[in-house]
Amino acid sequence: MMTRTARRNPAAARTIITIDGPAGTGKSSVGRTLAVRLGLDFLDTGAMYRAAALLALENNNSLDDADGIAQLVREADIRFNWHEDPPTLLAGDRALTSRLRDADVAKAVSPVAGLAAVRRELVARQRRIGEAHPRLVSEGRDQGSVVFPDACVKFYLDASASVRACRRAEQIGEFDPAAIACIQTELVERDRRDETRAVGPLRCPTDAVRVDTDQYDQQQVVEHLVEVAFDRVPVLRDVLHPVAAGA
Ligand code: DC
């Protein structure tokens, strides 16, 4: 099953583009827009870790119960509904998307994402999605380093902690400097946990294009990524701009 955007670009066979980086760099919005621009599907792997955290909360599992939560993930059959644009997340037939950004889930997800057994389960699922959707922009923390090491283009988006905190604050309508400082402290702590965990730590793959987004707005970042993708995978440009390519 392909979404509408991926069907637009059938010539670019097995085109996996990964986007990794810390929270607050705009990866999700940039990744979604990039996927639409290039006619590829979009995989939000953070949503899968959020779903694992939600299942743990609903079932009263301790957040360090690696095997128990991995089993919940396995039994729940976490998957995307690719008929929706953007795809929504399901556990079996139950829609989870509306709960994934709630405060309790946001708080629980980081410890759950650090559990090796849970990561194993979700990494395997992400690779299966990559098989079924071989024209994909996949966004997360370990997509270029662990899940799709053979991706044809890898991006790593970064930004300073202060800029990321301000962006987050703006998203939630928070303008109090003390609250923004608090958001920044939490972001730095989350980065530290993501970078130092034993499995799937956040790191920039050696073959990734690193993009510092401090000075750029989302649209400028997308334009840059599109140009790099066209450069690395020329068929993407040919399919989307047949006239300019002289076809
Ligand atoms: O991108 P996000 O905020 O939706 O991610 C939610 C959490 O899941 C965050 O703590 C990082 C973690 N995560 C991860 O460890 N590996 C991924 N591939 C994606 C997200």
Side-chain angles (χ1 to χ4, degrees):
M1 157 74 53
M2 268 185 272
T3 56
R4 275 194 300 278
T5 48
R7 270 197 298 271
R8 267 178 36 218
N9 202 342
R14 183 90 186 158
T15 302
I16 302 229
I17 296 178
T18 57
I19 304 182
D20 294 303
T25 48
K27 291 188 307 298
S28 293
S29 314
V30 164
R32 259 181 228 294
T33 312
L34 181 71
V36 171
R37 283 284 298 275
L38 299 180
L40 307 174
D41 284 332
F42 177 71
L43 174 59
D44 171 5
T45 63
M48 299 172 82
Y49 286 95
R50 287 171 184 268
L54 175 59
L55 293 173
L57 292 173
E58 286 179 344
N59 288 275
N60 294 315
N61 284 65
S62 157
L63 296 183
D64 60 4
D65 177 9
D67 292 338
I69 300 174
Q71 187 174 346
L72 285 176
V73 167
R74 221 170 10 254
E75 288 170 355
D77 186 22
I78 290 178
R79 60 201 175 82
F80 286 91
N81 177 2
W82 297 94
H83 293 286
E84 304 276 345
D85 211 356
T88 49
L89 199 75
L90 303 172
D93 290 331
R94 187 162 68 100
L96 299 186
T97 298
S98 64
R99 274 287 275 125
L100 298 183
R101 298 265 150 199
D102 289 352
D104 57 340
V105 175
K107 194 151 177 258
V109 66
S110 187
V112 168
L115 302 173
V118 173
R119 295 200 78 82
R120 260 198 308 279
E121 197 62 45
L122 291 181
V123 164
R125 257 156 217 270
Q126 289 156 18
R127 288 189 179 136
R128 284 204 293 274
I129 290 172
E131 293 297 319
H133 298 258
R135 294 182 285 278
L136 191 68
V137 173
S138 189
E139 177 257 321
R141 303 295 190 284
D142 58 347
Q143 298 303 289
S145 54
V146 173
V147 182
F148 300 114
D150 60 343
C152 57
V153 191
K154 299 179 185 180
F155 292 107
Y156 187 89
L157 299 195
D158 210 350
S160 64
S162 58
V163 165
R164 291 188 286 129
C166 287
R167 286 178 186 159
R168 230 338 103 83
E170 209 177 297
Q171 272 171 4
I172 57 174
E174 178 61 80
F175 301 104
D176 172 28
I180 297 174
C182 233
I183 292 173
Q184 183 169 336
T185 307
E186 281 169 16
L187 272 178
V188 170
E189 175 53 25
R190 179 121 76 96
D191 290 352
R192 194 194 58 74
R193 274 202 307 268
D194 286 349
E195 285 165 3
T196 57
R197 68 177 170 228
V199 280
L202 169 66
R203 66 173 50 125
C204 178
T206 50
D207 52 349
V209 177
R210 191 179 191 117
V211 182
D212 185 337
T213 68
D214 265 19
Q215 310 291 328
Y216 303 105
D217 66 27
Q218 211 167 283
Q219 198 47 44
Q220 291 171 312
V221 175
V222 170
E223 292 309 324
H224 178 59
L225 269 50
V226 166
E227 280 312 311
V228 173
F230 281 169
D231 194 44
R232 300 280 175 93
V233 190
V235 69
L236 288 171
R237 190 195 290 271
D238 295 347
V239 170
L240 292 184
H241 302 288
V243 175

